[in-house]
Amino acid sequence: MTDRFDHHVLGIGNAIVDVLSLAEDDFLLREGLAKGSMNLIDTARAEELYALMGAATEASGGSAGNTVAAIGSLGGKGVFFGKVCDDTLGQFYRHDMRALGMTFDTEPLPNGGTPTARSMILITPDGERTMNTFLGACVELGPDDIDEQIVANSAIAYFEGYLWDPPMAKDAFRKAADISHAHGRKVSITLSDSFCVDRWREEFLGLIRDGTVDILLANEAEIKALYQTSDLDTALKLIQTDCPLAAVTHGEQGCFVISSDDLGGIVSVPTTLVERLIDTTGAGDMFAAGFLYGHALGLPNETAASIGNLAAGEVLGHIGPRPQRNLYQLAQQAGLL
């Protein structure tokens, strides 16, 4: 992809402030939470969980927002569309994005209205995260928030699957995808969560098969859920027939890059082992940043996947969904950029 553009990646997603806390497995059992899941909750449940949680850390999050933040850390140009309220958390979120050099100009809701979204993230000793999300202002993101000029000047428009939960966001997604394709740009989506896939499987398959999606990102559980199979090889072969390009993360083994081009096929791209797994929050988002940034630069798919693996590995070593070390420097040291 060599055409001129202003932004490497445009992320469209839920603007969420993460509230992260360590928790034992027994806590999840007592609260009836499925480990590794993302649960949508209301205000009352958010307050209840917050009161029960241990000491917590607040961090700007949201899947696509994390990816755009990592684009900046990689040295790229990113832009984000997402809805916050002009309250304390919303101002905190906007400041974080802009401090990273990312463009985030979506009009906020007035203070006193629906509050900025937050997600109570419980991290168990094995590093797995269980998310409990109050969408708040996110549900107000709609077609009017899609800036046509920005979409047209972004190499890749990237959407998180979680956007399929708030109804107006679907229209925003389709509008942005149409603009992207009209200007010869690429459209990418992440499946986000296997439970999200279960809610929207047929619509996700429709987007992939009708050509709306050019690049699919998923993990092993999500791609299996999409095709309702317990066999990873079967799922990989099916996505190869449905989508031009896909990347499927495979835990500590790295990822698979799947191309509908016979010359590409299905390629396994290994990663280096993480010395100490602390928290998986944001790992998929970091992988997406590296892979999409590499694709926007026109790098080979395997190189782009290696950048994604490197970015994911960085975030696994600490609490929080965004990189704490400069990803560009890490990628340079690894000979990837």
Side-chain angles (χ1 to χ4, degrees), residues 30-107:
R30 286 197 304 272
E31 294 303 315
L33 301 173
K35 190 175 186 177
S37 66
M38 193 286 285
N39 311 289
L40 294 176
I41 59 176
D42 58 18
T43 308
R45 180 59 168 155
E47 293 176 351
E48 180 184 20
L49 275 176
Y50 186 72
L52 293 170
M53 291 167 67
T57 301
E58 290 182 351
S60 295
S63 179
N66 291 338
T67 295
V68 170
I71 293 294
S73 183
L74 283 163
K77 296 179 180 178
V79 58
F80 180 64
F81 294 163
K83 207 72 168 176
V84 297
C85 175
D86 193 22
D87 54 14
T88 301
L89 286 182
Q91 292 167 10
F92 169 71
Y93 194 96
R94 284 204 308 275
H95 174 269
D96 270 9
M97 293 298 285
R98 291 171 176 172
L100 292 166
M102 301 298 97
T103 301
F104 179 31
D105 294 328
T106 306
E107 186 70 23

Side-chain angles (χ1 to χ4, degrees), residues 147-228:
D147 184 313
E148 181 171 354
Q149 193 65 35
I150 288 177
V151 179
N153 289 321
S154 298
I156 302 172
Y158 173 67
F159 306 84
E160 59 183 78
Y162 290 135
L163 271 184
W164 233 241
D165 288 312
M168 288 199 305
K170 294 185 182 185
D171 296 330
F173 175 106
R174 294 186 187 280
K175 177 180 177 180
D178 288 344
I179 295 169
S180 290
H181 284 152
H183 289 83
R185 307 305 190 184
K186 297 288 183 70
V187 174
S188 178
I189 188 171
T190 173
L191 294 182
S192 292
D193 180 278
S194 59
F195 296 89
C196 182
V197 174
D198 289 338
R199 291 194 293 275
W200 304 110
R201 179 178 296 104
E202 293 309 313
E203 293 189 43
F204 285 164
L205 283 170
L207 291 169
I208 295 164
R209 289 169 175 167
D210 71 10
T212 300
V213 172
D214 303 299
I215 305 170
L216 179 80
L217 296 169
N219 64 25
E220 180 179 351
E222 292 156 5
I223 202 70
K224 287 179 179 177
L226 184 68
Y227 290 107
Q228 295 181 284

Side-chain angles (χ1 to χ4, degrees), residues 314-332:
E314 192 284 335
V315 84
L316 290 170
H318 58 78
I319 290 178
R322 297 186 176 179
Q324 293 182 354
R325 291 182 290 170
N326 185 286
L327 295 180
Y328 176 74
Q329 292 179 358
L330 292 178
Q332 270 205 320

Side-chain angles (χ1 to χ4, degrees), residues 303 307 310 328-337:
T303 303
I307 299 171
L310 179 146
Y328 176 74
Q329 292 179 358
L330 292 178
Q332 270 205 320
Q333 291 166 9
L336 297 171
L337 286 176

Side-chain angles (χ1 to χ4, degrees), residues 119-142:
S119 183
M120 314 301 159
I121 301 180
L122 301 163
I123 306 162
T124 39
D126 59 359
E128 185 60 86
R129 83 283 185 272
T130 302
M131 299 182 289
N132 304 276
T133 303
F134 167 59
L135 288 176
C138 289
V139 301
E140 302 295 332
L141 181 73

